[in-house]
Amino acid sequence: MVTEPTPEQLAAQKRKLDQRRAAREQGYARLASPRRHGDVPGGVVAPLSAVPILRCADLDRTIAYYELLGFASDRLSGYVVFAAGNAELHLSRDGTVLDPGACLIHVSDAAATRTELVARGVQLVGDLEEDGRAGAGIRSFTVQDPDRNQIRFASPWP
């Protein structure tokens, strides 16, 4: 049986989400705690963290479900960010997430990462995008892996 989170737990999750939002607005991304340490040969991307992006059909229903699971939510246009503990999930109901899957990878500088990957011959899906407002949005670009999974690299928009 699933129990609903207490008001204190919901408040704590909301505080954490607010702290993350404030950090993003200041240009900082949350650092991940990798399980595998060391250099990856030929690694050009220096991820700060990765966030799965899943598709949903109904944002209201999805928000209710994940809040029942204990996640705090931050609703955007056609998109919602969920946070619980160190976990973060993004769900989208619009066309920005294509089957079979997608993932957002935080990097310190999306433009520089894009330039380096293009120099290595990596095919891009579209151009560098700037979403949101300067200082509070993201700069991102997308690649597609051989299985058609879309990987979006994003950094804070200065």
Side-chain angles (χ1 to χ4, degrees):
M1 177 175 169
V2 176
T3 60
E4 291 191 35
T6 66
E8 293 81 15
Q9 289 171 323
L10 289 174
Q13 292 299 333
K14 180 161 180 6
R15 279 192 303 275
K16 189 166 237 176
L17 191 61
D18 289 343
Q19 289 170 344
R20 286 184 183 161
R21 189 177 305 119
R24 280 193 304 264
E25 289 174 0
Q26 294 176 14
Y28 300 108
R30 182 177 58 84
L31 295 176
S33 300
R35 292 182 182 209
R36 180 176 171 216
H37 299 283
D39 293 331
V40 176
V44 64
V45 177
L48 301 174
S49 65
V51 178
I53 305 172
L54 308 172
R55 182 183 288 265
C56 70
D58 182 326
L59 283 179
D60 292 327
R61 182 185 66 196
T62 300
I63 289 169
Y65 177 78
Y66 280 92
E67 286 182 350
L68 180 65
L69 295 179
F71 284 82
S73 65
D74 185 14
R75 186 177 185 152
L76 307 168
S77 177
Y79 200 88
V80 63
V81 176
F82 293 101
N86 287 326
E88 185 174 322
L89 296 172
H90 293 200
L91 280 97
S92 175
R93 73 166 162 81
D94 60 25
T96 62
V97 178
L98 302 175
D99 292 328
C103 181
L104 182 132
I105 298 178
H106 292 282
V107 294
S108 60
D109 185 340
T113 302
R114 179 185 180 277
T115 299
E116 181 63 32
L117 291 178
V118 167
R120 288 179 171 226
V122 174
Q123 292 285 103
L124 303 178
V125 178
D127 293 320
L128 188 67
E129 299 176 20
E130 294 177 337
D131 302 316
R133 62 186 192 280
I138 63 168
R139 180 175 281 152
S140 66
F141 70 95
T142 304
V143 300
Q144 183 170 288
D145 76 11
D147 295 308
R148 298 182 321 125
N149 292 303
Q150 293 206 353
I151 310 302
R152 178 173 293 171
F153 294 91
S155 63
W157 184 6

